[in-house]
Amino acid sequence: MSADPMEQVTLKQIAEYLGISIATVSKALKDYPDVSQKTKALVKAEAERLNYQPNSFAVNLRTKESKTIGLIIPEVVHFFFGNIVRAIITQAEKKGYLVIILQSDDNPELEKKQIDLLISKRVDGIMISLANNTVDISHLQKVMRLGIPLVMFDKISKLVPCSKIIIDDRKAAYEATKHLIDQGCTKIAHFRGPLLPQNSIDRFLGYKKALEDHGLEYNSKHVFLCDPIIYEKGREHAAALLDQGMDIDGIFANTDMVAIGALSVFNERGIKVPEQLKIIGFSNWFISSAMTPTLSTVDQDGVKMGKKVFKRLFKELQAKKNGQLLPPETIAMPTKVIGRGSSMISKVALTAES
């Protein structure tokens, strides 16, 4: 028996060749215990010889599952999101799911189109980190109405009643600002993210609360908007601080990339960091520990977040399969401040100067 390489080999063809029933072939390929090991070996050998592939479309019709899930993120080439994507793919493969990865480019309109695309592909579930300027959430409400499990992470909207995997951005920002205060800073600037994303709002509020709790004056002129959140914005605002002669001794930046941009300007202009000015970023990118000086930062583990995102989605997928509806859950991932050279003067340096 030979098969056309372009023709889909069927269970019936294998059954006819071996002189057994289609049901026996199907059971053998699925390792049912009521089929002998000899028969299983014969069936699997013939299936391999013919390059038999299960008809996934037919299986999906029977099980009402596509075994595909959608993932929308603002940016693929990004250390934090890259770690999340890698973790989700690894976990999904273990459970037999294919992940469709889409990049919104922080564009709300593109994000809407991508949601529609995933719906049209009949994905079993969707994971999303919102674009920075997403205000209209009708596309997400559509997902909910259709009964498609939805998990938001990192950049979320509190208005969508779905499960969310986040970090406590307000607490993390508070601790980052407190770190600078503990190192002696009293006039701290904040290079914040755009006005809309919840994580950007919470990091600003955490910064502000830390100042208030430690008796330091909040000055709106010390808050600089980074939209988009890029290296160049860090450079731009650092240069503005120096050109305007602002009396600043600390900076809490919304991300490491913005902090690195600022640090590059200070290095170029001969500003000693951390002696004259201290900086802390957010995310703990790999490059942060390769800078001179090394960058203090808030560590948020993208791999752990990715695992948690898929774990929650899978739990909801299983519940749906069993006819159950799980109440939405918000899970906050832990963070920690990592003090490095941009905010901490080493004991060795102090000894050398004394």
Side-chain angles (χ1 to χ4, degrees), residues 82-251:
N83 282 339
I84 288 176
V85 170
R86 187 164 64 250
I88 287 175
I89 290 175
T90 299
Q91 298 304 308
E93 286 179 345
K94 291 178 181 178
K95 299 296 185 180
Y97 283 89
L98 175 70
V99 185
I100 300 175
I101 304 167
L102 300 171
Q103 176 175 291
S104 70
D105 285 327
D106 265 326
N107 182 333
E109 292 306 312
L110 178 57
E111 182 180 277
K112 290 179 183 179
K113 291 178 181 178
Q114 291 173 340
I115 285 288
D116 285 337
L117 173 65
L118 292 176
I119 291 172
S120 72
K121 294 294 183 183
R122 299 185 181 278
V123 295
D124 296 328
I126 296 175
M127 301 158 287
I128 184 170
S129 181
L130 295 180
N132 278 331
N133 297 314
T134 294
V135 178
D136 178 13
I137 57 169
S138 58
H139 55 309
L140 303 171
Q141 292 170 331
K142 180 180 180 181
V143 174
M144 300 293 291
R145 284 198 309 273
L146 291 171
I148 301 172
L150 174 68
V151 176
M152 303 177 77
F153 63 94
D154 189 47
K155 298 178 182 179
I156 59 125
S157 168
K158 290 183 176 179
L159 301 177
V160 183
C162 68
S163 290
K164 303 172 182 73
I165 311 299
I166 59 171
I167 66 167
D168 189 336
D169 283 287
R170 196 173 302 195
K171 179 182 177 183
Y174 184 101
E175 293 300 326
T177 308
K178 180 179 180 297
H179 170 76
L180 294 178
I181 296 171
D182 290 344
Q183 300 306 310
C185 296
T186 58
K187 296 177 182 178
I188 303 170
H190 178 37
F191 289 5
R192 65 160 294 165
L195 298 175
L196 286 175
Q198 192 63 48
N199 64 352
S200 178
I201 294 170
D202 286 340
R203 290 177 195 180
F204 164 70
L205 293 175
Y207 152 79
K208 189 176 180 182
K209 187 70 164 63
L211 296 182
E212 293 171 354
D213 285 356
H214 291 83
L216 300 180
E217 181 183 358
Y218 165 72
N219 186 339
S220 61
K221 293 181 180 179
H222 293 168
V223 179
F224 296 80
L225 185 68
C226 298
D227 189 2
I229 306 172
I230 54 176
Y231 171 85
E232 287 76 14
K233 284 294 180 182
R235 286 187 57 86
E236 175 187 324
H237 294 322
L241 277 175
L242 296 178
D243 293 342
Q244 294 169 22
M246 285 193 180
D247 185 17
I248 295 295
D249 58 11
I251 296 174

Side-chain angles (χ1 to χ4, degrees), residues 249-308:
D249 58 11
I251 296 174
F252 164 45
N254 185 272
T255 69
D256 284 356
M257 192 52 66
V258 169
I260 290 169
L263 185 58
S264 69
V265 169
F266 297 137
N267 284 340
E268 290 169 7
R269 298 209 189 179
I271 303 298
K272 293 182 179 181
V273 177
E275 291 84 359
Q276 292 175 262
L277 188 147
K278 297 174 173 58
I279 307 176
I280 187 167
F282 204 109
S283 285
N284 195 24
W285 282 39
F286 70 94
I287 196 172
S288 303
S289 58
M291 296 297 299
T292 302
T294 53
L295 181 67
S296 297
T297 187
V298 175
D299 180 51
Q300 54 176 354
D301 195 320
V303 172
K304 287 183 179 178
M305 177 171 278
K307 288 179 178 179
K308 189 71 73 174

Side-chain angles (χ1 to χ4, degrees), residues 21-40:
S21 70
I22 295 175
T24 300
V25 172
S26 177
K27 286 184 175 183
L29 290 173
K30 294 175 183 176
D31 272 326
Y32 273 55
D34 58 343
V35 179
S36 70
Q37 291 299 323
K38 180 180 179 181
T39 300
K40 286 180 184 178

